Structure formats: C-alpha cells, structure tokens
Amino acid sequence: MKRHITAKLKQAQEKLGMTFSEEHFDFISKLEKEEVKFGEEEWLFWTVNDKPNDANDNFIIESSLNFKNEWGLDGLVFATNGIGDYLVVLPKELGDLILVMMHETAELKLFGKNIQDISQNGPVDYFWSDDYCYKLDDNDKLVKSENFNPNISSNKYSENYFGEDYELRSQLDDLIDDEKTEKISEILNGLERLSNSKDENHKVWAFNKLSDIYLRGFGPVPPDMTKALEYNQRAVDLNSHKAISNRAACYFFGLGMTKDINKALKLATKANELSKTNQFADIFATKQGGGMYDKLVDMITTEIKKHENNSC
C-alpha cells in the first residue's frame, strides 16, 4: 500500500473543507496503482502518483479548485479518464453520489450511487442519457436541472441506451458520420467497450474506427500516429482486410514508418484477396474476380516497376 495516499487525502479534505465518506476514503487509500476499472471504463486516480514529500503536489486539491473556479460548486474531484472528463462528489449537497463531469457537453451527470456500487456494478447509463444534475449554458452560467433524480437503480450499461452490441455500433457510427465532435467522450468510451465484444466483427470495426479517429483527429482529439498504428495493428491481428490495406498504404507513403513499397505490395495483395469474400467486392473491383483494393495493388505495382526501370 502506498502510505502517502492517506496523507494526501487528509490534506485535501482539510484544505477544501469537505470529506469523502469513510468507504470512499478507504477505497482510494488502498489503491496500489492509478488505473481503476468501473465496468468497462478505465479511470485514473492520480492521487496514487502524488509526490509524498511535496505538499503542493495534490491531484484532488488542484482538480477540485479548478472545478470550483469553472463551475462555482464545492466538490471533491478524485479521478479522470484522461480525455477531459472527471469524477466528482458534492458531499455538502449530494452526499456519496458520484457525478461525472462531461467536458464536451459541460454537464454533470449521475455516475453512480457510491464508490462501492460502481466498483461492483459499474456506472449507470449516462452516455446517451439527456438527464443531468448541473450544466453550463452557452454563457457559462450554471443551470440546475429540475428533473434530476438521484434515486435510480444502479446497473451496468442499460439496454435502454446500449442494447446489444450491434445497436451500440449503429449509434456510434451515426455519431462519427455526423461528426458529433462534442460527443467524443461517449464515442471513445463506446468504441473501447465495443472492442471487447465477443463478436469479432464488432471488435474489428471498433479498432478500425479508433485507428481512423487517431489518424485524422476528431474534434478535440488531435492526430496521434502512434495510437492510430496501435489500433490498426490490433485489427490487422484479427485479419481485417481494411486494416491490412491501411497498413499497406502506410508503408507505401511512409506514414509513421519507414517507406517500403515491397512490404506495401505484399500487404495490399493480402488485403485484396481477403476482401473478395466481402459483399461489396464486386462494386469496388476494377477487374473480373478482383477485390476491393485492386486500385491500391495496381498503384503500388506501377511504382515498383518505375523503381526497377530507373535502376536499370
């Protein structure tokens, strides 16, 4: 156990004039690492990494003061998902209830009844819900919901919002196609959940979408070639023809890796063969019995021939 965590928690409570519940305090104080899974979601408790001998290094104090400055509410911020959302309790107003601060939509939504409940059951279905506790309007004015009901049963991802994996995939596809960048947290969390689907088709689709998002960037998420290639490789490992064709293009253009047109041709040819079983192969094929990546194969082949002719 990292003993300094207890000291950091006590320091935060004294500085901010609020206290965690005994169970919540014990939960954080016993953490051995910063990553914690609530259902399918991973949250980071950076208090674990606070410097023991630096009184100015306290994640909860810094984050809570920033929260107070932005929202005008007294709360204890204790975790983040690393993409701008935070978990917070408002002890003076809502007791043990845990809220999630959605930074893109500027909303505070119910995340769970208490720390024990979300540890056992995961968060309630907040992703697609329109219910909120507080939000900031277009003028950054705090608005409190008149319909917020904290007395709902806790559960994992409710079928009312997620349903089966195919329904989640459909919802995510619409958000991505419509470029709903303000929903990036929901999109990324949904794709991560889908990447753990028992259905390999859904997993492959999620990996390819995540790779595309990090390749091009999406709203507040900047391009990140390292992450794009990581997700691409996970799809390649599942024999996704789309992922393999994308890896071929990376080798051909030298995107994120050393240019190698021979490797590009090998991968493009493999992707093209795999794609022939796809129902849309005939639409994209440029020749009888061809595949979806005929043009890519031809382009790379032409480039290789140019190099060979120039070397003669």
Side-chain angles (χ1 to χ4, degrees), residues 271-291:
N272 207 36
E273 287 300 313
L274 288 171
S275 75
K276 290 180 180 180
T277 60
N278 189 280
Q279 59 180 323
F280 300 112
D282 291 340
I283 298 176
F284 292 97
T286 59
K287 61 189 73 174
Q288 186 71 28

Side-chain angles (χ1 to χ4, degrees), residues 172 176 184 187-188 191 206-219 221-224 227-228 231:
L172 293 172
I176 295 170
I184 186 60
I187 291 171
L188 291 179
L191 288 173
F207 289 143
N208 281 325
K209 287 295 183 182
L210 284 163
S211 182
D212 288 344
I213 284 174
Y214 286 111
L215 176 66
R216 299 178 175 84
F218 192 85
V221 175
D224 186 328
K227 285 188 176 182
Y231 284 113

Side-chain angles (χ1 to χ4, degrees), residues 37-184:
K37 279 270 194 175
F38 294 133
E40 300 293 338
E41 302 181 23
E42 182 175 275
W43 289 84
L44 304 170
F45 286 68
W46 289 126
T47 299
V48 175
N49 292 330
D50 283 346
K51 297 176 183 177
N53 299 320
D54 186 349
N56 295 318
D57 187 25
N58 191 305
F59 170 78
I60 293 175
I61 291 177
E62 181 180 358
S63 300
S64 299
L65 291 176
N66 289 337
F67 174 73
K68 171 72 172 181
N69 183 58
E70 181 179 3
W71 289 80
L73 295 170
D74 292 318
L76 293 168
V77 177
F78 60 89
T80 177
N81 60 4
I83 54 175
D85 301 329
Y86 293 85
L87 297 183
V88 58
V89 290
L90 309 180
K92 296 178 181 179
E93 181 179 353
L94 296 174
D96 294 351
L97 284 181
I98 296 173
L99 304 178
V100 56
M101 184 185 76
M102 313 288 290
H103 78 282
E104 290 97 353
T105 57
E107 293 176 316
L108 281 172
K109 295 184 175 183
L110 180 63
F111 190 80
K113 292 194 294 185
N114 51 55
I115 197 71
Q116 304 100 312
D117 194 66
I118 63 173
S119 298
Q120 296 173 4
N121 303 311
V124 299
D125 47 344
Y126 67 93
F127 282 140
W128 310 105
S129 174
D130 292 326
D131 296 331
Y132 65 91
C133 178
Y134 286 102
K135 71 176 181 179
L136 297 176
D137 65 16
D138 293 338
N139 297 314
D140 289 334
K141 180 180 178 182
L142 186 67
V143 178
K144 184 174 183 178
S145 172
E146 297 179 357
N147 302 314
F148 177 66
N149 176 22
N151 299 314
I152 61 174
S153 61
S154 180
N155 54 74
K156 292 187 179 180
Y157 305 97
S158 168
E159 292 191 4
N160 291 332
Y161 293 99
F162 280 119
E164 300 298 329
D165 284 346
Y166 76 86
E167 185 177 350
L168 171 58
R169 174 171 167 173
S170 177
Q171 292 170 335
L172 293 172
D173 201 26
D174 287 341
L175 290 176
I176 295 170
D177 287 346
D178 294 339
E179 298 184 353
K180 298 291 187 180
T181 57
E182 72 276 8
K183 295 286 187 179
I184 186 60

